[in-house]
Amino acid sequence: MLTPRFAIINWFFLSLFCATATFAQFSPADNAHLNYSSVCFEFPWVDQVVSYELILTEKSSGEKTIFTTKANKQIVDELVFGESYLWQVIGKNTQKKEIYSSAERIFSIEEHFRTGKKFVRFKEVTNNSLTRGDELLILDYAGLVINRDEEIVWYLPDLPMMSPNSGLRDLKLTDEGTFLAIIDSNAYEFDLTGRILWKAPNDGAVSHQGKEDYHHDLQKLPSGNYMVLGNEKQRRVLEGEKDTSRYEIGTIIEYNPAGKVVWQWHAKDFFTDDLLKLRLKEDGGFNLATHLNAFSVVGNFVYAGFRDANWVLKIDKTTKKVVELYGGHDSGLPNHYGKELFRLQHDATVLNNGSMAVINNDSIKDPAVVSSLVVFSLGENNVPKGEELFRFKFDFDSLCNGKSLKLGNVEELSNGNYLVNMGAIHRIFEVTPKGEITWDIFVEKLDTFKRVWRFHPQYRVALTSSLYPNEFTSKWTPKKGKGDQLIGSISLFNVGTEKNRYTVFVQQETGSWLALTEIPTIEAGQSRTTVVTIPKKHLNTTGGATLKVQVRGKSLFQEFVVRR
């Protein structure tokens, strides 16, 4: 049955007149088979139409639901896996007369082994809907996106480059609503359906060893570039030693969308013999493992986390020099802060207030030590660098011993709470800055051979406000102007779940983009109309121009041609 479970993004009150505008295809396409239950419907703008009705019919019951919008996009949540739906768009003019009717299309939300009850299960401990966040959770090892009631919203479809034994790690959603993942030491971007949009070259251009061996962390930057961790194998005779030491050490690589390396950093250039010889193995030999496993980019700096070295390094992108260190044992360097604050850590998340959070896995061999979430200062707000701001130990109840050998990450929620993936403990919880648990689950996976449920830890649990966090659409309406200028209004609809600001650009004769106007913040589900004047010098031979509307601080944009 089609029920009021639909969560509707449907709040537009702007009337538009006589528009000639951008064109869009119908989405979902006819007979589409989807792997997600939150669907963004899209259809073409129609001249003279000021209000659209999306008619959605659940095929099994015949029940219809009508959604009214001024935009040519509509997001509907909580559709049902295993169900098919018919959809049609009706357009009405200012007199509320129907002047447009699309053909009826059909699509289905496909079931999959990942959506079945014999794949994973979630054992809920706490779910306080009044104090917890509402963000969706992306579980990388499970290949799932779930909501806070542990309902599946999206599953990883069968990808051509994956086998049953493939390694999947660091699954996360970009600002554009696409996914990133590291699969079998390759780095990918793909859309919701699994269509590959970008693949890192993995050609050894940085390591000079045939491949880059991508691992642990892949991010898409606001510039549209990609940054990912790699490895290179080293042979080195340490000072005072006779034998050659062989070890693996990390690289950080930034690619542009064309796959060209635009920046690189090699950990081998920082880790001198003296730094490598600080740690010993149980047999007394030097432990040369540093294990780069996380990074965050803030302005011109990269914070890189090295688990086995027990440090987070702050790297200046311009000079490629390490300007600060945090945590772990004393390095002997003057810019080292927060010594002994954490050990064997995962993640290196810079928070909104400028501080940093890590998962302090710590030494689980020590009976007096448990793993913890640690938040510390990076020097913001006049707080000394390396000062501990918050620590939450993982032995907060009797359901686990609090010792997480590996894995784990922390994310900051929009309400200021922390979402903590406990890694090897296979537990995910949300905690307030005062240490109050607001949401808490265990994740288990069915052992299909022995028919028993096993722990199912995740390497990373990422957050997103929805599958369409920054989705927007825009419409151009020409206006009469004086002289040779082209004047019109852009009506911009924020149909996503994040509030955003926007910039309108015009393409110059050289192909470069010139900012014309800034559009102030538009809240999620709201709209704004802005008058835009395009000078004659930016018009083409037909009197038109190419405009681009871009989300400020993000690489997401829409490009279209406007005319009188």
Side-chain angles (χ1 to χ4, degrees):
M1 291 288 292
L2 192 62
T3 70
R5 290 174 302 168
F6 288 109
I8 308 167
I9 298 179
N10 179 26
W11 312 288
F12 300 109
F13 307 102
L14 177 68
S15 293
L16 307 176
F17 299 94
C18 193
T20 59
T22 58
F23 293 92
Q25 295 181 338
F26 286 89
S27 180
D30 200 21
N31 293 307
H33 302 281
L34 306 182
N35 53 301
Y36 44 92
S37 62
S38 176
V39 177
C40 180
F41 293 87
E42 184 173 6
F43 41 89
W45 294 107
V46 180
D47 283 346
Q48 307 296 330
V49 169
V50 298
S51 177
Y52 299 91
E53 291 183 354
L54 168 64
I55 304 172
L56 187 63
T57 305
E58 188 176 72
K59 188 176 180 182
S60 64
S61 66
E63 184 174 350
K64 297 180 184 292
T65 304
I66 299 175
F67 307 93
T68 303
T69 177
K70 301 292 183 181
N72 71 330
K73 291 183 180 181
Q74 173 73 48
I75 297 174
V76 179
D77 293 325
E78 299 185 23
L79 298 178
V80 179
F81 286 101
E83 183 61 77
S84 295
Y85 297 89
L86 301 165
W87 72 288
Q88 182 183 21
V89 176
I90 302 298
K92 296 183 178 181
N93 62 14
T94 54
Q95 286 76 44
K96 299 183 180 181
K97 180 181 177 181
E98 181 180 314
I99 60 173
Y100 170 77
S101 177
S102 76
E104 191 173 57
R105 291 167 168 81
I106 188 171
F107 68 95
S108 59
I109 311 293
E110 297 291 287
E111 291 185 306
H112 190 267
F113 77 88
R114 294 182 189 273
T115 65
K117 295 182 179 180
K118 294 183 180 181
F119 175 58
V120 296
R121 70 178 182 184
F122 307 100
K123 299 177 70 174
E124 186 176 277
V125 180
T126 303
N127 190 343
N128 189 331
S129 61
L130 298 178
T131 56
R132 64 158 169 79
D134 290 322
E135 288 91 339
L136 302 178
L137 275 57
I138 307 170
L139 283 62
D140 61 351
Y141 284 177
L144 295 173
V145 178
I146 64 171
N147 63 24
R148 292 309 191 88
D149 291 320
E150 298 89 51
E151 297 168 329
I152 295 171
V153 176
W154 175 94
Y155 63 82
L156 181 72
D158 298 327
L159 300 178
M161 66 284 198
M162 290 190 69
S163 70
N165 297 320
S166 287
L168 169 69
R169 175 174 283 194
D170 196 39
L171 183 67
K172 63 184 65 162
L173 201 74
T174 68
D175 290 333
E176 291 93 334
T178 59
F179 280 96
L180 300 177
I182 296 174
I183 302 172
D184 295 335
S185 298
N186 283 296
Y188 297 92
E189 179 183 20
F190 48 88
D191 67 14
L192 295 182
T193 67
R195 180 171 61 95
I196 304 301
L197 305 174
W198 185 84
K199 180 183 178 183
N202 205 8
D203 54 5
V206 172
S207 70
H208 302 292
Q209 295 170 358
K211 63 178 183 177
E212 307 298 353
D213 190 21
Y214 304 122
H215 63 94
H216 285 94
D217 206 346
L218 166 66
Q219 298 179 28
K220 192 169 187 179
L221 306 179
S223 64
N225 289 348
Y226 302 83
M227 188 172 284
V228 64
L229 302 182
N231 273 322
E232 54 188 350
K233 294 178 174 59
Q234 292 293 300
R235 296 164 58 92
R236 189 167 181 170
V237 178
L238 299 178
E239 185 179 353
E241 297 292 308
K242 295 181 180 180
D243 297 331
T244 299
S245 297
R246 295 174 175 83
Y247 62 99
E248 194 172 62
I249 196 163
T251 59
I252 308 176
I253 311 169
E254 182 178 348
Y255 295 101
N256 67 15
K260 180 181 177 181
V261 176
V262 296
W263 185 82
Q264 58 183 287
W265 184 84
H266 298 258
K268 66 181 182 182
D269 296 333
F270 169 75
F271 282 94
T272 62
D273 287 4
D274 289 340
L275 293 178
L276 287 173
K277 292 163 67 174
L278 286 177
R279 294 179 304 109
L280 299 178
K281 300 178 182 178
E282 292 182 356
D283 62 5
F286 295 120
N287 185 354
L288 305 185
T290 55
H291 197 85
L292 173 61
N293 67 5
F295 70 91
S296 287
V297 182
V298 180
N300 196 49
F301 297 98
V302 178
Y303 291 88
F306 289 80
R307 186 197 71 181
D308 289 6
N310 306 303
W311 296 331
V312 173
L313 310 184
K314 181 180 180 181
I315 304 163
D316 186 317
K317 285 191 69 179
T318 302
T319 66
K320 299 187 180 181
K321 299 295 185 182
V322 173
V323 295
E324 293 173 357
L325 293 81
Y326 292 88
H329 303 308
D330 188 0
S331 65
L333 299 176
N335 52 352
H336 192 161
Y337 305 97
K339 299 171 186 176
E340 307 299 336
L341 195 61
F342 50 81
R343 292 182 293 177
L344 303 174
Q345 80 286 348
H346 281 77
D347 216 349
T349 300
V350 178
L351 306 176
N352 291 329
N353 64 3
S355 59
M356 176 170 283
V358 300
I359 297 300
N360 176 31
N361 297 83
D362 216 319
S363 174
I364 66 168
K365 294 181 180 180
D366 186 341
V369 171
V370 295
S371 305
S372 59
L373 162 67
V374 175
V375 180
F376 60 94
S377 170
L378 296 177
E380 300 294 326
N381 305 314
N382 297 317
V383 179
K385 295 177 180 179
E387 182 172 308
E388 182 178 312
L389 303 176
F390 178 67
R391 182 181 294 265
F392 189 80
K393 294 184 177 181
F394 288 178
D395 61 346
F396 55 89
D397 64 16
S398 61
L399 298 180
C400 65
N401 63 9
K403 292 178 177 288
S404 179
L405 172 64
K406 57 184 179 179
L407 316 179
N409 71 294
V410 55
E411 298 273 359
E412 184 177 20
L413 288 91
S414 59
N415 62 8
N417 294 347
Y418 305 107
L419 184 85
V420 177
N421 165 31
M422 296 173 72
I425 296 179
H426 76 290
R427 190 175 188 178
I428 308 165
F429 66 88
E430 178 180 337
V431 61
T432 71
K434 294 182 178 180
E436 300 170 353
I437 300 294
T438 63
W439 186 84
D440 185 9
I441 64 169
F442 285 87
V443 185
E444 297 179 345
K445 183 177 181 179
L446 182 64
D447 182 332
T448 55
F449 180 71
K450 295 188 177 181
R451 310 302 299 175
V452 295
W453 290 94
R454 307 285 192 189
F455 296 168
H456 194 31
Q458 308 297 305
Y459 175 74
R460 183 180 303 279
V461 176
L463 288 178
T464 181
S465 56
S466 72
L467 295 183
Y468 314 94
N470 301 294
E471 193 75 32
F472 74 96
T473 186
S474 52
K475 184 176 185 180
W476 170 263
T477 303
K479 293 181 176 292
K480 292 183 178 180
K482 297 180 180 180
D484 296 324
Q485 298 180 123
L486 178 56
I487 300 177
S489 62
I490 289 181
S491 298
L492 200 152
F493 302 84
N494 181 357
V495 300
T497 46
E498 302 283 345
K499 63 181 180 181
N500 277 307
R501 295 181 295 168
Y502 306 83
T503 303
V504 180
F505 298 87
V506 64
Q507 190 171 40
Q508 302 181 90
E509 187 175 355
T510 61
S512 60
W513 295 95
L514 175 70
L516 283 180
T517 188
E518 302 289 340
I519 298 178
T521 299
I522 303 178
E523 297 290 333
Q526 299 298 315
S527 63
R528 183 187 298 271
T529 296
T530 301
V531 175
V532 176
T533 300
I534 306 173
K536 177 183 177 181
K537 61 181 180 180
H538 297 310
L539 301 182
N540 57 34
T541 55
T542 63
T546 301
L547 297 184
K548 178 172 71 173
V549 180
Q550 183 165 354
V551 182
R552 290 188 63 183
K554 300 178 174 69
S555 58
L556 184 66
F557 67 91
Q558 289 184 354
E559 185 178 323
F560 50 92
V561 175
V562 296
R563 297 180 178 86
R564 289 185 173 86

